[in-house]
Amino acid sequence: MPIKIPDSLPARQTLEQEGVVVMREADAVRQDIRPLRIGLLNLMPNKINTETQLARLLGATPLQIELSLVRITDHVTRNTSADHMAAFYRPWVDVVEERFDGFIVTGAPVEKLPFEEVRYWPELRQIFDWTQSHVHGCFNICWAAQAALYHFYGIPKHELAHKASGVFPHRNLAPASPYLRGFADEFSVPVSRWTEVRREDIPAGSSLEILIDSAVTGPCLIDDPAHRALHMFNHLEYDTGTLAQEYARDQGPVPAHYFPDDDPAKPPRNVWRSHAHLLFGNWINQIYQTTPFDPAEIGRSPTP
């Protein structure tokens, strides 16, 4: 089944060129089916790139998805046009009475700031609490994953001496998890962050479970059934060239294990795409299997 996004969203043309089935809004209205409602709180600077990356993965599943783009209420982005934001995004206060089968919160370029110094931290805390009554399953990515664990458990983030950047080998620690169906025992994941969450800070006796980790960069994916959430610290959603774009922008160290022979003059190869589709497909399937048919019951249902 296709993904339903606004007809004029820039991601539409890209996805159609890639063969992702995208539904026109007029066609979706005529179908007698309840699509899965997925909200995306996009905190990334280049919102159009992030929209496309996540819509690509959500649109590859066999279920009909309705994607809603959400923004922090009073935050003005400096990297995406005001026209784009006005046309496609709704402030969170405008969706606060709505319910979503799934809700994704992205990373943000504020990693080195204490959480309390992030200007929109009070509203983000409200959003995390709101997901417990209005969202069936959450997917928090990179900084948002760290923020959610800090909000719900007080787990700190730690600044790294150097940015973790590259494509690193990771281990599947929970092959029986419904979120890791089809995953290899070892696979590669793009990493791009200045901070980390450490295994030893996870509270003893909590229901948090590390599903994926790396011997080099630490925990990657944590299951949080108590809050119906997945916390992903890395970036399986990245395009092939995203790390190259960040390297060109920042002029930092060459991303590890990314360019052939570590030579930035050579085009990188995508070795993580299949596992990105597996993870998001498994997440969507788990939501579909457990979400209530009646949206009014969302937030009061069993853990996905």
Side-chain angles (χ1 to χ4, degrees):
M1 295 294 287
I3 183 170
K4 179 193 167 209
I5 56 178
D7 292 343
S8 54
L9 190 72
R12 171 178 288 274
Q13 182 177 359
T14 301
L15 298 180
E16 289 177 337
Q17 290 172 347
E18 295 176 359
V20 177
V21 180
V22 184
M23 173 172 280
R24 294 187 307 160
E25 292 177 286
D27 293 335
V29 170
R30 290 197 294 269
Q31 288 202 344
D32 186 18
I33 189 172
R34 178 169 110 64
L36 290 181
R37 295 199 69 217
I38 306 296
L40 170 59
L41 179 64
N42 190 352
L43 305 176
M44 292 291 278
N46 191 327
K47 300 197 185 305
I48 294 176
N49 281 0
T50 303
E51 295 157 13
T52 304
Q53 291 166 1
L54 292 170
R56 175 186 295 118
L57 297 170
L58 297 172
T61 65
L63 302 168
Q64 184 176 319
I65 305 295
E66 178 182 308
L67 183 62
S68 297
L69 302 178
V70 182
R71 63 174 175 84
I72 293 291
T73 301
D74 294 323
H75 182 67
V76 178
T77 181
R78 295 176 294 178
N79 299 281
T80 304
S81 75
D83 288 344
H84 182 86
M85 299 302 295
F88 301 113
Y89 281 79
R90 289 189 292 164
W92 174 67
V93 293
D94 285 0
V95 305
V96 70
E97 299 300 328
E98 299 180 16
R99 296 180 188 270
F100 293 87
D101 300 289
F103 200 79
I104 300 170
V105 186
T106 73
V110 293
E111 282 185 84
K112 293 185 178 182
L113 288 176
F115 292 114
E116 291 83 1
E117 292 184 15
V118 175
R119 194 177 68 80
Y120 49 79
W121 178 243
E123 181 166 328
L124 185 60
R125 293 189 66 195
Q126 292 180 53
I127 292 172
F128 284 143
D129 288 338
W130 165 84
T131 64
Q132 300 307 287
S133 57
H134 288 73
V135 173
H136 185 62
C138 296
F139 198 130
N140 301 310
I141 299 174
C142 199
W143 178 82
Q146 297 176 346
L149 288 176
Y150 181 72
H151 172 68
F152 287 119
Y153 295 95
I155 297 174
K157 60 182 172 70
H158 301 271
E159 187 169 340
L160 300 169
H162 305 283
K163 184 178 183 180
S165 176
V167 180
F168 295 92
H170 282 67
R171 302 175 296 179
N172 178 351
L173 302 182
S177 168
Y179 300 111
L180 301 186
R181 291 191 186 99
F183 269 63
D185 295 335
E186 295 186 357
F187 47 92
S188 297
V189 179
V191 179
S192 179
R193 48 184 165 82
W194 289 96
T195 54
E196 67 178 358
V197 164
R198 295 174 181 168
R199 177 188 293 267
E200 56 266 29
D201 290 330
I202 295 175
S206 73
S207 60
L208 295 172
E209 179 184 8
I210 300 175
L211 303 183
I212 299 171
D213 82 343
S214 165
V216 179
T217 59
C220 170
L221 180 68
I222 290 181
D223 185 15
D224 182 3
H227 297 96
R228 303 190 303 278
L230 287 180
H231 307 297
M232 161 61 82
F233 305 115
N234 301 328
H235 290 284
L236 275 172
E237 82 281 1
Y238 267 11
D239 291 327
T240 303
T242 303
L243 286 175
Q245 294 164 4
E246 293 180 355
Y247 169 68
R249 178 195 67 200
D250 301 335
Q251 290 300 302
V254 175
H257 319 298
Y258 174 59
F259 297 108
D261 304 318
D262 290 327
D263 182 355
K266 297 180 179 180
R269 294 188 295 268
N270 190 313
V271 297
W272 61 89
R273 182 182 295 116
S274 59
H275 282 86
H277 282 278
L278 275 174
L279 179 59
F280 278 83
N282 287 340
W283 179 65
I284 288 293
N285 181 65
Q286 193 66 8
I287 288 175
Y288 173 74
Q289 296 291 336
T290 57
T291 195
F293 182 80
D294 181 359
E297 295 299 314
I298 288 175
R300 297 191 285 271
S301 56
T303 299

